[in-house]
Amino acid sequence: MNLIFFGAPGVGKGTQATMLAERLDVPHISTGAILRRAMEDQTELGRKAKEYYDAGELVPDELVTEIVVEALDSPELADGFILDGYPRNTSQAADLQSALAERGRGIDRVVYLTAPDREITRRMLARGRADDTEEVIANRLKVYTSETEPILDHYARLGLVAEVDGVGELDEVHQRILDAVKVEANSGS
Ligand code: AMP
């Protein structure tokens, strides 16, 4: 199953995508996590991404698209994947679509996690990541609203969006996601 996890920063995509990836035994590709590792390791990618990342801006499309397209060609993704944090604007969505089409693949479902704004801000401040200061959070939410949220329409028109309430205990939300992607509670591992 090829899935996209969609939702505002701080809504719990990373945690839930990790849980689902374990359950379905498919790789979880988080562009944010890959960028954080690259910055820690001070690779060329990390150096190029840092100023955007630190400001809560989107890192240039070609850098993140390359990460994703490379991942698509790895054998581990042959049976499915969970994309978390990508695509984040219309141009990335178009690039993903053509990269998948070229490989005879497509997206099966977009899991759209939701939570009220104040809950999202509270969670991000509690998490305490380097880009989780109040100022940068405000910018990331602004970027989400103006650039990322609009691409949801595109997936909705294709009938791919499953909206899931992201408020609740981790296991509760996990169960809602399993229902949304139609996986039996006691199947899998
Ligand atoms: P995340 O961990 O998904 O919240 O991403 C953290 C930061 O990484 C974002 O604020 C962006 O600076 C950068 N980032 C992650 N994914 C993308 C993407 N698909 N496009 C551009 N920037 C991204």
Side-chain angles (χ1 to χ4, degrees):
M1 184 147 22
N2 303 335
L3 300 174
I4 292 175
F5 263 57
F6 196 90
V11 78
K13 292 190 298 295
T15 308
Q16 290 296 337
T18 303
M19 288 170 78
L20 187 67
E22 275 173 25
R23 165 63 74 106
L24 300 180
D25 196 23
V26 294
H28 165 209
I29 316 300
S30 159
T31 45
I34 291 168
L35 292 170
R36 278 186 287 283
R37 203 170 321 128
M39 290 188 295
E40 256 169 49
D41 296 346
Q42 300 184 15
T43 65
E44 195 189 339
L45 170 67
R47 278 193 298 274
K48 285 182 179 160
K50 188 172 171 24
E51 65 174 298
Y52 303 97
Y53 181 99
D54 286 347
E57 296 291 337
L58 294 185
V59 166
D61 293 337
E62 61 275 16
L63 295 180
V64 281
T65 295
E66 193 180 319
I67 296 174
V68 172
V69 171
E70 241 172 56
L72 285 179
D73 286 330
S74 84
E76 292 94 75
L77 266 68
D79 294 332
F81 55 80
I82 299 176
L83 274 180
D84 159 16
Y86 185 96
R88 249 174 158 105
N89 60 24
T90 49
S91 139
Q92 292 178 16
D95 287 343
L96 176 64
Q97 180 138 340
S98 41
L100 286 171
E102 278 167 21
R103 291 161 179 78
R105 305 179 73 172
I107 293 298
D108 297 308
R109 191 79 95 229
V110 176
V111 176
Y112 173 38
L113 266 186
T114 62
D117 278 357
R118 60 177 188 288
E119 175 66 15
I120 283 172
T121 308
R122 192 191 63 76
R123 288 185 192 184
M124 280 197 276
L125 287 172
R127 188 165 75 167
R129 225 167 62 186
D131 58 335
D132 284 340
T133 63
E134 260 182 84
E135 192 191 346
V136 177
I137 287 174
N139 196 38
R140 284 160 63 209
L141 290 173
K142 199 177 82 192
V143 169
Y144 172 74
T145 307
S146 62
E147 298 199 44
T148 308
E149 218 168 30
I151 66 179
L152 197 57
D153 261 3
H154 163 73
Y155 292 113
R157 275 196 296 274
L158 297 171
L160 294 178
V161 178
E163 185 169 337
V164 174
D165 179 2
V167 180
E169 296 299 321
L170 289 185
D171 286 338
E172 234 177 300
V173 178
H174 176 61
Q175 185 57 53
R176 288 178 202 145
I177 292 171
L178 288 175
D179 293 342
V181 300
K182 304 240 181 337
V183 176
E184 294 298 324
N186 31 12
S187 73
S189 52

